[in-house]
Amino acid sequence: QVRLVESGGRSVQAGGSLRLSCIASGYTSSNFCMGWFRQGPGKEPEGVATLFTGTGYADYTDSVKGRFTISQGNSKTTVYLDLNSLKPEDTAMYYCAAHEDRDIPCYAAEPPHFSNRGQGTQVTVSS
C-alpha cells in the first residue's frame, strides 16, 4: 500500500524559510514521479514542483522558480521542498504526491495526474 507522509509546515513571516519533508512508502520501483502541489483558501490545486526519482530532474511552476527547491534525500523515497523568500500568497495546504504513470512526463504532471498524495501540511505566511 502506497503511503505519503508530509511534515514541516508551520506559520512564518514573509521573507522567511521552511523545509517540507515527504516520505513515500509502498512503491516497488525506485523510478517514479514525486511532486508537491498546494491549495490555498478558495483556490484550485496548483502544482508547485516535481522531481523524477530516477534522474533527479526537477521542474517548477513559474511563481516559485528561484525561491523553492525540490530535492531527494539519500533514499529516493524521501523528497524535500525548501521554501525561501516566502510571500503571503504562498499560504496554502501543501501536499506531497506521487505517480508511476510513464505516459505522463514528470515535468508535465499536474495535481490530477498524481494517483497518490499525503494528508497535507499547512504553510501560513504572514505579512
Side-chain angles (χ1 to χ4, degrees):
Q1 181 181 356
V2 173
R3 187 173 183 226
L4 300 168
V5 180
E6 309 98 331
S7 62
R10 60 181 175 88
S11 296
V12 295
Q13 291 200 328
S17 299
L18 282 177
R19 167 170 270 200
L20 306 183
S21 301
C22 174
I23 300 175
S25 60
Y27 279 102
T28 57
S29 169
S30 60
N31 296 324
F32 53 96
C33 182
M34 291 190 76
W36 292 90
F37 69 90
R38 64 187 180 186
Q39 188 166 16
K43 297 182 180 179
E44 293 294 315
E46 175 191 26
V48 174
T50 58
L51 183 145
F52 185 65
T53 63
T55 61
Y57 181 81
D59 197 56
Y60 303 88
T61 193
D62 286 345
S63 63
V64 307
K65 284 181 180 177
R67 299 190 299 123
F68 292 9
T69 303
I70 187 171
S71 61
Q72 286 179 263
N74 290 332
S75 164
K76 288 188 175 181
T77 56
T78 301
V79 171
Y80 303 104
L81 185 67
D82 290 303
L83 297 72
N84 297 302
S85 302
L86 282 161
K87 304 174 182 180
E89 51 263 43
D90 294 318
T91 293
M93 184 71 81
Y94 283 71
Y95 297 92
C96 177
H99 79 78
E100 294 182 277
D101 190 340
R102 295 181 181 273
D103 291 332
I104 302 172
C106 192
Y107 60 84
E110 294 292 339
H113 297 137
F114 289 96
S115 53
N116 296 289
R117 74 175 200 185
Q119 293 298 306
T121 187
Q122 178 68 37
V123 173
T124 302
V125 185
S126 58
S127 57

